[in-house]
Amino acid sequence: MAMQRILIIGASSAIAEATARIWAARGAELFLVGRRADRLAVIAADLRVRGAASVGCHRLDATDIDGHAAMLDAAIVAMGGIDIALIAHGSLPDQKACEASVAMTLKEIDTNALSVIALATRLAELFEGQGSGMLAVIGSVAGDRGRQSNYIYGAAKGMIGIFLQGLRNRLARRNVQVLTIKPGFVATPMTAAFSKNALWARPEAIARGIVRAVDKKSDVVYLPGFWCAVMLLIRHIPERLFKRLAL
Amino acid sequence: MLSSWGQLPAAPARDERWWADRAAALPETGSTLLAYGNGRSYGDVCLNGGAMLLHTRGMDRFIAFDPASGVLRCEAGVLLSEILEVFVPLGWFLPVTPGTRYVTIGGAVANDVHGKNHHRAGSFGCHVRCLELLRSDGSRRLCSPQENSDWFAATIGGLGLTGLITWVEIELKPMAGSAIAVENARFNGLDEFFAINASAEAGHEYTVAWIDCLAATPRGILMAGDHAAPGEAGCPRAPSPLPLAPPRLPVSLINELSLRAFNQLYYHRRLPANSRMHYAPYFYPLDSIAHWNRLYGRRGFFQYQFVLPLAERAALTEILRDIAASGQGSFLAVLKTFGAVRSPGLLSFPMPGVTLALDFPNHGRATLALFDRLDAIVGAAGGRVYAAKDARMSGEFFRRSNPRLDEFTPYIDPKFSSDFARRVML
Ligand SMILES: Cc1cc2nc3c(=O)[nH]c(=O)nc-3n(C[C@H](O)[C@H](O)[C@H](O)COP(=O)(O)OP(=O)(O)OC[C@H]3O[C@@H](n4cnc5c(N)ncnc54)[C@H](O)[C@@H]3O)c2cc1C
Ligand SMILES: NC(=O)c1ccc[n+]([C@@H]2O[C@H](COP(=O)([O-])OP(=O)(O)OC[C@H]3O[C@@H](n4cnc5c(N)ncnc54)[C@H](OP(=O)(O)O)[C@@H]3O)[C@@H](O)[C@H]2O)c1
C-alpha cells in the first residue's frame, strides 16, 4: 500500500485516536488537529512510537471557521499533501438544556454541523483540484431520524449526512471518495455518563471499521454493521406511530 | 463492575473512574483511592470496596522509544500485550513477563511480577529504569534506583499503596525471533524435578514445570525454552484465540473428577522432546481462552502461590501431600525455582527458592482450612505467600513473612488503600 498522508480533525476523540493508531502501525504520515495542544502532543508521541512516519499537530477550535485555511496550509506543508481527511470532532448536547436555550441549540449545530460543512467544503475543493482524495466524516445513526431525546444532535448529524451525499454525487467522477461513517452507541468520554448494555461497541472496533471502509472506498457505513438493519427498520416506522413512541 | 480474576464475592467500589490523562490531578474524594489495572490479580490487592477505583487502562499511551538501547517509556495502563504487538516485529521482547500478557505495566510494577526467566533476569522491577509517582498531595516524584531510591523501592511491589504510577520506563531486550525452541522432559518425583531443573536452568533462558498435584508421587513436565530464529519453514504462527468466552456458570466445571481426567491425559499426552512454537502458547497458554476464570462458576476460585527457600524441600513434599490428600487442587499447577537476583522492592514476593502456584475452586470452609494448614508449613519453612494471588491470608502471617513491612509503611499514601491493605496491614 502506498504511504498515506492523513489529516485528522478532532484527533483527541477516542474514536479518532483508536483509528490513528491503526494508521500509525501501517507507517502513515499523520497531522492531528484539535482544541487542546497538550493532549495532541501526548497522542502524537504515542503514534510516533507505534510506527507513524511523521506526526504533526495543530491547535484549532473547529468552530473557528477563519482558522480553517491556515490549518489546511499547515497540514499540506507538513506532509506535502493530503490523501485522506477524517473529520471526527463532535459534542453530545444536553437536549433538555438546548430546548430552553436558542443560543445553546445553535452552538451545538455550529459544532456538529456548520464547522463540519465548512471543513468539508474546503477539503472538497482541494481534493477536486488534485483529482484524488478520501474525505471521511463521522456522522451518527442519530442523524437517520429525529427523536425527542436527541434531535438537536440528530439534526446536525442528519444535515452533514445530506451534505455529504450531495458532495459524493458531485465528486463521483473526479476520483474523490466521500465516506459517511455512522456509528451506533460507542463507549467513549462523550457517553461516559450512560449505562451500557450489549448494544455498545468499543472505540477500537469502530476504528477497525473506519479503516476498512476507507480502504474499500465505501460511501456509507454503519458501525458495527448491525445498525444498518436497525436503522432501516426505524426509518420505516410511519410518522403517525413514531411520534407517539418514547424514543 | 470491576472485579479481580478469582471472581470471589467482594464488596463493590462506590465509584469507578476511567483514568486516561496522566497529567490530570487525582480526583477529590472523601473516600480512599486505589489504581485498578486490568484486574488480573486473583484476590483483593486491586479492590477497594465502598471507596474509589481509578481504572488506569485509559492511560495507554507510549511516550518514547529508543531503538538503539530498547528503552521504552509508556503510561502505566499500557498492556504487556500491546508492547508485544508493537515491539516483537521490531525484534524486542519483554525483559520479564508473567503467565498472561493481559496485565498493565503499572500492575506488573505494583506486584513486581516474575516470569519463567527469574533464575537469570530476576523480577520485573529489576528492569524498571524509572517511573513517575503521583501522590494525593499533588506531588509528582521521579523514582529510580538513583533518584528517590527509597520511594522506588517502596513502589516496586508496593501493591498500589504508595500512590498512582503514571508512567514507567523499562528496558526491552533484543531477541532472535518470536519463536521459542522448547525442550520438554517428564519427571517423576521431586528429586528428579530438582535434578533436571538445575541443568535446565544452567542451559536455558526460560524454565517452568507443570505438575500433577493429585498423583501419589508428584510427577510432571519441565518445559525449558529459548528465543530462536524462525526456522526454514518460517516462524510458527500464534494460535488464534477461541472465538467465544465461556458464559457465567452457576456451578464450577472444575471438580476432582474433571481434574484427575485432565491431569492424566495431560501427563501422558504425546510429548516431543524438542519443538519450536510461537512465543504466545509457550508464555501464555491460557490467554487463548478469554475469561477462563468463569469455568469456576459463581463462587469463584482461589490461587495459592508460595515460595520456600531451596533448603526446605521437605516442606514442599509435605505441602504436596496435604493437597493431594485434600482432593482439591488444580488444572495447571506451576512449579518454578527462583534465582539469586534480588528484587528491588521492599515487599517483592520473589526470594531464592522454589515456588508453586495452584488454583482451587472455592469450597468455602474446607478450602480456607487447607490454606491455613499450608500457611503454617510455608511460615515454618521461612517462606511467604504471593499477595497478587491472595484473598485470605491472615495479617499475622503476612507481617511475619514480610520482614521489611515496617520500612514500607511510611511510604503508604494516606489517601490510598485497598481491601488487601485493610485486611493484612492494619
Ligand atoms: C493467567 C494468569 C497468569 C499469571 N501469571 C503470573 C506469573 O507468572 N507471575 C506473576 O508474577 N504474576 C502472574 N499473574 C498475576 C498478574 O501478573 C499480576 O496480578 C499483575 O499485577 C496483574 O496486573 P493488572 O494490570 O491486571 O493489575 P491489577 O490486578 O488490576 O492490580 C494489581 C495491583 O497493581 C496496582 N496498580 C495497578 N496499576 C497501578 C498504577 N498505575 N499505579 C499504582 N498501582 C497500580 C493495583 O492497585 C493492585 O495493587 C498471573 C495472573 C493470571 C490471571
Ligand atoms: N460515542 C458515541 O456513542 C458516538 C456515536 C455516534 C457518533 N459519534 C461521533 O463520533 C465522533 C467522535 O466522538 P467520540 O465518541 O470519540 O467522543 P470524544 O472522545 O468525546 O470526542 C469528541 C471530540 O470532539 C472534539 N471537539 C468537540 N468540540 C470541538 C471543537 N469545537 N473543536 C475541535 N474539537 C472539538 C473534542 O475535543 P476536546 O478533546 O478538545 O474536548 C473531542 O476530541 C463525534 O463526531 C461523535 O459525534 C459518537
Side-chain angles (χ1 to χ4, degrees), chain A residues 117-158:
Chain A
I117 286 172
L119 286 162
T121 300
R122 287 187 191 277
L123 283 160
E125 191 186 1
L126 174 75
F127 288 166
E128 189 176 23
Q130 70 190 28
S132 69
M134 158 60 90
L135 173 61
V137 181
I138 306 186
S140 169
V141 294
D144 277 16
R145 193 152 192 183
R147 293 169 301 130
Q148 60 178 322
S149 60
N150 196 19
Y151 63 83
I152 312 291
Y153 179 73
K157 292 294 191 184

Side-chain angles (χ1 to χ4, degrees), chain B residues 30 50 134 142 146 223 276 359 390:
Chain B
L134 171 59
L142 222 104
Q146 294 79 35
M223 292 159 275
R276 191 171 286 220
D359 297 346
D390 181 67

